[in-house]
Amino acid sequence: MALFDRKNLLPVMTVGAQVLKQQAQPILQVNDDIRAFAKDMIHAMREYDGIGLAAPQAGRSLRLVVLEVPGSDEEELSPGEAAMLPQMPMVLVNPRIIGRSDSVCERDEGCLSVPGIYAPVVRSERVVLQSELLDGSVIEYECGGLLGRCIQHELDHLDGFLFTDRLAPEEYRFIERQLESLERAGKKTNYIRRRK
Ligand code: ZN
């Protein structure tokens, strides 16, 4: 008999949900509840084919993020990619960005909370991430590439921002209608994403 009933997937909240607009609360103590929730978040991220998931997306306003960024075949990895990619999936507790490069880059993003919409977002090329881990240790790395982007996207969720809030006005115009119809559809499901 299975110890855990994994058929009960965590809900994934969609655009319009109040929890996605809030400043999430710091985690004061990593206890069994947090460890179990992080595990369930990893499961949900995988079920929905995501590379990152923030706790508010799973309905809880906590500063907790899970990442499963795929390995990179770039020759020059940032220190964060070199250290973190082999450790995926990773759980970040109270993560913070404590530095940013002046240079920026643009890349298409999507989000499990904004299904079906993709648009180019300009973000810092590199960020310095500082975070606690579940075991209480603290990491600090300069992160670039897809990892650096994913960190910026996921940490935005902890401050109530979606990638669609970061679009240039001319890009926003392209997705505005689609976003509005997603929000309207969300009202009927209490902003809980339906499974495919
Ligand atoms: Zn997202």
Side-chain angles (χ1 to χ4, degrees), residues 20 52-54 57 109-114 123 150 153-154 156-157 161-163:
L20 293 176
L53 188 71
Q57 293 183 275
E109 292 188 19
C111 178
L112 296 184
S113 295
V114 192
R123 294 193 190 269
C150 187
H153 176 117
E154 298 307 333
D156 261 357
H157 279 300
F161 293 104
L162 297 174
F163 81 95

Side-chain angles (χ1 to χ4, degrees), residues 14-194:
T14 57
V15 60
Q18 198 53 41
V19 68
L20 293 176
K21 299 175 192 168
Q22 291 167 3
Q23 182 84 16
Q25 296 301 308
I27 291 169
L28 302 178
Q29 196 197 349
V30 173
N31 52 26
D32 287 348
D33 167 53
I34 295 294
R35 277 185 285 268
F37 184 54
K39 194 173 172 185
D40 288 344
M41 282 174 61
I42 290 172
H43 179 64
M45 169 177 66
R46 288 175 166 171
E47 284 292 307
Y48 284 97
D49 292 324
I51 61 171
L53 188 71
Q57 293 183 275
R60 290 181 69 176
S61 195
L62 291 171
R63 303 191 83 81
L64 184 70
V65 163
V66 298
L67 297 176
E68 192 156 44
V69 176
S72 168
D73 47 20
E74 295 282 325
E75 281 189 10
E76 292 225 352
L77 292 181
S78 60
E81 290 171 282
M84 292 171 67
L85 295 183
Q87 297 185 57
M88 297 286 164
M90 284 190 80
V91 179
L92 304 180
V93 178
N94 301 321
R96 302 192 290 150
I97 289 172
I98 59 168
R100 288 178 182 277
S101 63
D102 292 330
S103 54
V104 294
C105 57
E106 188 182 72
R107 184 171 176 155
D108 270 2
E109 292 188 19
C111 178
L112 296 184
S113 295
V114 192
I117 296 183
Y118 301 86
V121 185
V122 176
R123 294 193 190 269
S124 304
E125 203 159 9
R126 289 195 175 199
V127 292
V128 181
L129 168 75
Q130 191 183 71
S131 183
E132 297 158 38
L133 303 181
L134 286 177
D135 66 5
S137 59
V138 176
I139 57 166
E140 185 178 314
Y141 293 114
E142 186 184 317
C143 302
L146 182 59
L147 176 64
R149 176 163 292 270
C150 187
I151 286 168
Q152 292 174 75
H153 176 117
E154 298 307 333
L155 269 62
D156 261 357
H157 279 300
L158 306 184
D159 293 324
F161 293 104
L162 297 174
F163 81 95
T164 47
D165 299 317
R166 300 282 186 217
L167 299 179
E170 63 273 22
E171 297 296 344
Y172 186 78
R173 275 198 299 121
F174 282 119
I175 60 130
E176 196 170 7
R177 286 276 171 78
Q178 223 182 329
L179 196 60
E180 283 167 4
S181 83
L182 256 184
E183 283 212 47
R184 271 198 306 276
K187 272 183 198 161
K188 295 174 194 149
T189 62
N190 288 322
Y191 304 102
I192 292 171
R193 185 168 161 173
R194 293 187 201 277

